Amino acid sequence: ESQIDESKISVGSIVVLHNVERNKEMTYHIVGSYETDPTNGKISDSSPIGMALLGARAGEEVVVNGAREQHLQIKSVSRAKDN
């Protein structure tokens, strides 16, 4: 855990994004496939958005290819804290 580069998006990251097409801000927690709960902002690292975000950093823009193309600007990246 101490070896993780917290500036890069990985499983466990909390990511604040701006969707360019919708002009909407959203926050996602990147989780493994078995923890996915989209209604509570938990998206899988293997989902189209999750895969596009992995390895990216705050300030970058990613393009998600799916049913419709989305441009997401990464506003911030942090790690989920254990409760």
Side-chain angles (χ1 to χ4, degrees):
E1 186 76 16
S2 64
Q3 300 287 327
I4 295 173
D5 181 352
E6 293 185 9
S7 68
K8 284 186 178 181
I9 298 172
S10 61
V11 172
S13 294
I14 304 289
V15 186
V16 178
L17 306 167
H18 176 77
N19 184 308
V20 175
E21 285 79 19
R22 293 183 177 178
N23 193 29
K24 182 178 179 185
E25 191 168 282
M26 59 198 91
T27 301
Y28 289 126
H29 182 180
I30 309 299
V31 298
S33 298
Y34 296 108
E35 299 173 274
T36 301
D37 184 359
T39 58
N40 288 311
K42 293 182 176 185
I43 61 168
S44 169
D45 61 330
S46 60
S47 69
I49 293 174
M51 288 190 299
L53 291 172
L54 289 178
R57 300 175 188 267
E60 294 182 1
E61 183 174 300
V62 298
V63 177
V64 179
N65 294 308
R68 64 185 184 287
E69 188 174 272
Q70 298 179 67
H71 294 85
L72 304 174
Q73 296 173 336
I74 303 166
K75 298 295 185 183
S76 68
V77 178
S78 60
R79 294 293 294 172
K81 304 297 181 215
D82 291 332
N83 293 335

